Amino acid sequence: MSAVSGAARPSVVVLDYGFGNVRSAVRALERVGADVELTRDRAAAQEADGLVVPGVGAFAACMAGLRSVRGDEVVERRLAGGRPVLGICVGMQILFDAGDEHGVVTDGMGEWPGVVRRLDAPVVPHMGWATVEPAEGSRLFAGVEDERFYFVHSYAAQEFPLEADIPADSPFARVSIRPLVTWATHGGRFVAAVENGPLSATQFHPEKSGDAGAHLLENWVSTLR
């Protein structure tokens, strides 16, 4: 993969709140041309060109960890100012209204409506490589529309109400742009990625998805200039 061209490397903070494959994410972003810092410092996370919110494990634990470093506030402030944020795996799931794990419902950040639930599939967790159905006009998947990506998860958002037209008075109508939703299938269909103005997220791990994942991260980093 060729690094993002240009004199200055975009600055990216990978939020270190105790959950996620943070070292892998840092290395992957560095390889595609970002100047990356792994930190829980709120000022650094607020000021960076891009913020990455990783996540592995349980929804409730990730939300607790995020709130413990006030990462939820940083994400909300960045989005209010139109500043890019990328969520990965459970870092994507916590952007929804709630997560339902073993009958326990935990509030998420509420950036998108919907509840993250256990996959309805013969084999769970869903682990391995899978193709996706990119949204038309996707910038994240430009050049890797037909590639496979690496998933490790038991839960996912299985519907996305905002894929339809958004009412003008909706609090979710980011800069009047309809979200671009990418889907995948394991048992049933689930949301594999979303692009919604400054907010993007993937259910799969781009940092573990080889050349295709690197290309996707490069696509995201290229939007930070």
Side-chain angles (χ1 to χ4, degrees):
M1 294 296 299
S2 59
V4 175
S5 60
R9 293 162 63 93
S11 62
V12 173
V13 161
V14 175
L15 189 63
D16 185 11
Y17 66 105
F19 296 85
N21 298 297
V22 290
R23 299 296 177 184
S24 297
V26 168
R27 289 193 297 268
L29 288 158
E30 287 176 337
R31 285 195 294 268
V32 299
D35 184 2
V36 187
E37 180 180 5
L38 173 62
T39 183
R40 62 179 57 192
D41 181 78
R42 292 195 301 278
Q46 185 64 50
E47 294 167 7
D49 295 324
L51 175 66
V52 173
V53 181
V56 296
F59 186 106
C62 281
M63 272 306 305
L66 188 69
R67 289 183 173 129
S68 73
V69 300
R70 294 170 61 184
D72 53 334
E73 297 177 16
V74 172
V75 170
E76 289 168 355
R77 289 173 183 171
R78 286 187 63 90
L79 296 178
R83 310 201 70 190
V85 175
L86 174 66
I88 295 175
C89 198
V90 184
M92 170 181 175
Q93 295 177 8
I94 58 178
L95 295 167
F96 287 87
D97 279 336
D100 183 350
E101 296 184 342
H102 309 294
V104 177
V105 177
T106 302
D107 287 341
M109 290 192 59
E111 295 297 331
W112 297 315
V115 179
V116 173
R117 304 182 190 277
R118 184 175 173 84
L119 294 169
D120 184 11
V123 177
V124 175
H126 175 212
M127 183 180 299
W129 297 82
T131 57
V132 300
E133 306 166 31
E136 183 177 354
S138 169
R139 295 186 68 180
L140 276 183
F141 291 91
V144 287
E145 295 89 347
D146 300 319
E147 300 294 335
R148 298 188 303 160
F149 298 88
Y150 190 77
F151 291 84
V152 182
H153 64 121
S154 298
Y155 295 81
Q158 293 161 55
E159 57 183 20
F160 198 90
L162 294 186
E163 194 175 20
D165 290 332
I166 308 172
D169 60 352
S170 169
F172 301 103
R174 295 198 179 282
V175 295
S176 302
I177 298 175
R178 185 167 69 178
L180 300 179
V181 184
T182 291
W183 296 86
T185 301
H186 183 70
R189 294 176 87 228
F190 65 87
V191 177
V194 181
E195 298 160 72
N196 186 193
L199 181 58
S200 301
T202 66
Q203 178 60 68
F204 55 84
H205 288 273
E207 76 281 8
K208 293 185 175 183
S209 295
D211 288 346
H215 193 118
L216 182 142
L217 289 175
E218 186 174 21
N219 285 345
W220 181 72
V221 170
S222 72
T223 70
L224 303 181
R225 295 185 177 279

